[in-house]
């Protein structure tokens, strides 16, 4: 019955179709006692996604938010109200939101350049923390966060949740558990998508706030490279430019300076090579991974065709040597979960967060993994700016971290 109950809880309990069922008549749809209360710091598009997945998942709730922008707070209120009659608490200060004794965990979804300063206040609470990616915009701040996490007695998870998109869950399983590809030699990821959206304060149009496109957005893909390679990056070579997007965008007297296209090549200590192809002026949201090992090749893709307003089915193929089976599949989660955002990856990141809070082992991104995803992103941005290949050892030494090389 446990599995029935969990399934019903998560998918139906909050559906407006069943709102008429009185509390005392709920059995399958009773999510059980409330497990944990979260506060969300930063209630923009990502904070709202965290509120929606928390409430949909049903075992925890979002108690309150802190955000200096009143319309973000209003939007957060509306999201919680879709799922619960309990009012959303709105805090007047970051400290008040972090230190409220009614709350068990904090979810930090503020702009990238604020992560370290917000985290320093958050860790005073001793509560569990989910910190959004990229954990920082530069290597010294990312290192400081990694060090904070090492000595932190509670969970400090990083929001690198692409590993929970259905295509990557299956790709990781094929490559690492079934070992269908043999020894991995090369990895290719392509992301072709629409331009960055508007943000509160337009922080994502400026490298000094976001870390640059290859840190802000692409840390997700560099985290996947690092996961599949299972090795440390040695060098990064990248070219790119601001070819189309925001070339005439000015905000408070400053011109946007972010890349909208790039090719990045990463070489790993164990000989694995990875390359990444980014275009952010494509009329779609599409990503693809190709992994070649000495015993097989995997290709997977997902996307939304913004022109035809149709979704391409998730797709994954493993083409193996002739002595074993090859296969194709269409990995997915239930639609209600995928529709919460990022193909359901944020929902599954929350499941891992709750398990970690329960003291169970977790496959979620650690601060150490977050650090190395930022290192590759910063190296790529540096390579575009300076020209030529960036040696990771030298970059770490320039940042006072030669001992990590
Ligand atoms: N994991 C993912 O795939 C994913 C997706 C989107 C965004 N993000 C990350 O989430 C974070 C927020 O991005 P977003 O898209 O929601 O941006 P956004 O601009 O939509 O929202 C950011 C919110 O933070 C608020 N804010 C700014 N400074 C604050 C502070 N010091 N304290 C509290 N609130 C503050 C703003 O008023 C705004 O409401 C970024 O780090 C971004 O990279 C991650």
């Amino acid at each position: 019955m446990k599995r029935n109950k969990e399934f019903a809880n998560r998918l139906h309990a909050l559906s407006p179709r069943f709102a008429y069922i009185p509390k005392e008549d709920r059995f399958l749809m009773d999510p059980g006692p409330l497990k944990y209360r979260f506060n969300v710091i930063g209630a923009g598009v990502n904070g709202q996604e965290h509120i929606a997945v928390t409430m949909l998942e049903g075992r925890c709730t979002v108690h309150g938010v802190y955000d200096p922008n009143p319309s973000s707070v209003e939007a957060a209120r509306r999201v919680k109200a879709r799922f619960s009659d309990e009012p959303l608490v709105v805090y007047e200060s970051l400290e008040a939101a972090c230190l409220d004794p009614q709350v068990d965990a904090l979810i930090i979804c503020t702009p990238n350049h604020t992560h370290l300063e917000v985290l320093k206040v958050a860790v005073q609470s001793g509560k569990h923390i989910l910190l959004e990616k990229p954990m920082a915009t530069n290597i010294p701040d990312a290192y400081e966060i990694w060090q904070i996490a090492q000595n932190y007695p509670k969970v400090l998870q990083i929001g690198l949740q692409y590993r929970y998109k259905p295509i990557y869950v299956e790709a990781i399983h094929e490559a690492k558990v079934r070992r269908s590809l043999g020894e991995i030699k090369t990895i290719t990821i392509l992301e072709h998508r629409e331009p960055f959206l508007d943000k509160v304060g337009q922080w994502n149009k400026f490298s000094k706030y976001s870390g640059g496109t290859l840190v802000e957005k692409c840390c997700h893909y560099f985290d996947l490279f690092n996961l599949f390679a299972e090795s440390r990056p040695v060098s990064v070579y990248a070219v790119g430019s601001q070819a189309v997007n925001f070339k005439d965008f000015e905000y408070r007297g400053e011109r946007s300076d972010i890349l909208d296209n790039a090719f990045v090549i990463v070489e790993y200590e164990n000989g694995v090579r990875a390359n990444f192809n980014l275009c952010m002026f494509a009329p779609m949201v599409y990503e693809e991974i190709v992994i070649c090992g000495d015993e097989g090749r995997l290709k997977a893709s997902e996307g939304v065709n913004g022109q035809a307003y149709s979704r391409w089915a998730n797709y994954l193929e493993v083409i193996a040597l002739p002595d074993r089976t090859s296969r194709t599949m269409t990995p997915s989660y239930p639609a209600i979960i995928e529709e919460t955002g990022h193909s359901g990856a944020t929902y599954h990141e929350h499941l891992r967060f709750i398990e970690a809070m329960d003291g169970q082992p977790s496959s979620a991104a650690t601060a150490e993994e977050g650090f190395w995803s930022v290192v590759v992103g910063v190296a790529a941005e540096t390579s575009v700016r300076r020209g030529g290949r960036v040696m990771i050892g030298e970059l770490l030494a320039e940042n006072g971290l030669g001992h990590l090389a």
Side-chain angles (χ1 to χ4, degrees):
M1 188 47 93
K2 182 172 176 284
R3 291 181 67 81
N4 272 348
K5 259 177 89 69
E6 282 181 1
F7 183 78
N9 279 343
R10 292 185 186 155
L11 300 189
H12 300 307
L14 294 156
S15 159
R17 277 177 66 211
F18 298 111
Y20 71 95
I21 304 275
K23 258 200 168 65
E24 62 274 19
D25 292 337
R26 288 180 174 238
F27 171 66
L28 286 181
M29 294 175 192
D30 175 9
L34 185 74
K35 250 176 126 55
Y36 299 116
R37 286 184 176 271
F38 303 149
N39 272 350
V40 170
I41 317 294
V45 75
N46 186 251
Q48 291 163 42
E49 184 167 316
H50 281 292
I51 297 171
V53 297
T54 302
M55 303 307 292
L56 179 71
E57 198 276 334
R59 291 176 299 167
C60 303
T61 192
V62 172
H63 186 75
V65 296
Y66 168 65
D67 191 310
N69 180 39
S71 49
S72 301
V73 171
E74 276 320 302
R77 261 197 239 276
R78 287 195 293 275
V79 175
K80 183 171 178 185
R82 284 194 347 239
F83 300 92
S84 164
D85 296 334
E86 185 191 66
L88 185 73
V89 175
V90 178
Y91 297 91
E92 290 299 315
S93 70
L94 174 61
E95 287 73 13
C98 293
L99 297 175
D100 186 340
Q102 294 198 69
V103 168
D104 306 288
L106 306 170
I107 302 178
I108 302 174
C109 342
T110 58
N112 304 348
H113 64 293
T114 66
H115 285 176
L116 176 58
E117 72 187 65
V118 172
L119 183 74
K120 280 181 179 167
V121 177
V123 292
Q124 300 306 316
S125 70
K127 298 183 199 296
H128 303 287
I129 295 173
L130 172 51
L131 171 65
E132 261 309 335
K133 56 50 57 179
M135 61 202 253
T137 57
N138 58 62
I139 292 175
D141 284 5
Y143 185 68
E144 195 173 340
I145 291 174
W146 178 14
Q147 296 313 295
I148 290 171
Q150 273 191 325
N151 300 312
Y152 196 58
K154 293 285 180 67
V155 177
L156 206 168
Q157 183 173 317
I158 305 299
L160 288 163
Q161 94 291 44
Y162 276 30
R163 53 180 78 181
Y164 301 126
K165 286 188 175 196
I167 59 168
Y168 296 123
V169 169
E170 290 302 319
I172 290 168
H173 187 75
E174 289 292 342
K176 301 296 173 190
V177 182
R178 298 187 77 175
R179 299 198 54 78
S180 312
L181 314 177
E183 208 170 289
I184 292 176
K185 299 295 182 188
T186 66
I187 310 161
T188 297
I189 295 182
L190 171 148
E191 185 189 33
H192 285 185
R193 55 161 282 173
E194 294 159 343
F196 278 133
L197 299 174
D198 284 343
K199 296 285 158 187
V200 178
Q202 294 291 12
W203 58 268
N204 61 352
K205 311 299 179 304
F206 300 94
S207 297
K208 66 178 175 185
Y209 302 131
S210 72
T213 303
L214 298 175
V215 175
E216 146 53 17
K217 171 71 203 163
C218 308
C219 62
H220 277 304
Y221 301 109
F222 300 143
D223 178 54
L224 290 168
F225 279 177
N226 294 343
L227 264 180
F228 282 110
E230 285 184 286
S231 180
R232 290 277 177 250
V234 174
S235 73
V236 175
Y237 175 63
V239 292
S241 71
Q242 185 172 25
V244 176
N245 298 345
F246 310 114
K247 289 178 73 132
D248 54 356
F249 179 85
E250 260 194 42
Y251 188 76
R252 297 186 179 145
E254 276 187 272
R255 288 187 83 83
S256 168
D257 65 346
I258 50 162
L259 303 173
D260 61 18
N261 71 95
F263 299 123
V264 181
I265 296 172
V266 186
E267 290 183 294
Y268 285 88
E269 258 167 26
N270 61 0
V272 170
R273 286 196 186 83
N275 73 84
F276 174 64
N277 168 335
L278 176 73
C279 173
M280 295 192 65
F281 41 87
M284 59 186 64
V285 179
Y286 177 76
E287 62 193 70
E288 182 178 296
I289 185 167
V290 179
I291 306 175
C292 293
D294 56 5
E295 296 177 18
R297 175 187 185 272
L298 177 149
K299 175 181 152 181
S301 61
E302 65 150 58
V304 177
N305 178 346
Q307 292 310 298
Y309 295 102
S310 64
R311 196 180 163 81
W312 289 305
N314 291 349
Y315 175 76
L316 188 144
E317 66 180 32
V318 177
I319 308 299
L321 294 179
D323 61 340
R324 62 195 81 165
T325 52
S326 293
R327 62 202 155 272
T328 63
M329 58 180 109
T330 55
S332 69
Y333 297 126
I336 189 171
I337 292 177
E338 289 205 2
E339 284 160 8
T340 56
H342 294 94
S343 309
T346 310
Y347 182 95
H348 281 263
E349 160 183 58
H350 271 242
L351 298 186
R352 305 291 85 77
F353 189 48
I354 295 166
E355 282 164 11
M357 289 172 69
D358 285 345
Q360 294 173 36
S362 167
S363 58
T366 62
E368 180 174 2
E369 291 173 306
F371 170 80
W372 286 104
S373 72
V374 170
V375 167
V376 177
V378 170
E381 287 278 337
T382 308
S383 176
V384 172
R385 216 172 34 252
R386 290 184 190 162
R389 188 170 172 221
V390 168
M391 303 307 295
I392 296 294
E394 289 168 17
L395 185 68
L396 289 170
E398 279 172 33
N399 284 279
L401 299 173
H403 62 284
L404 293 178

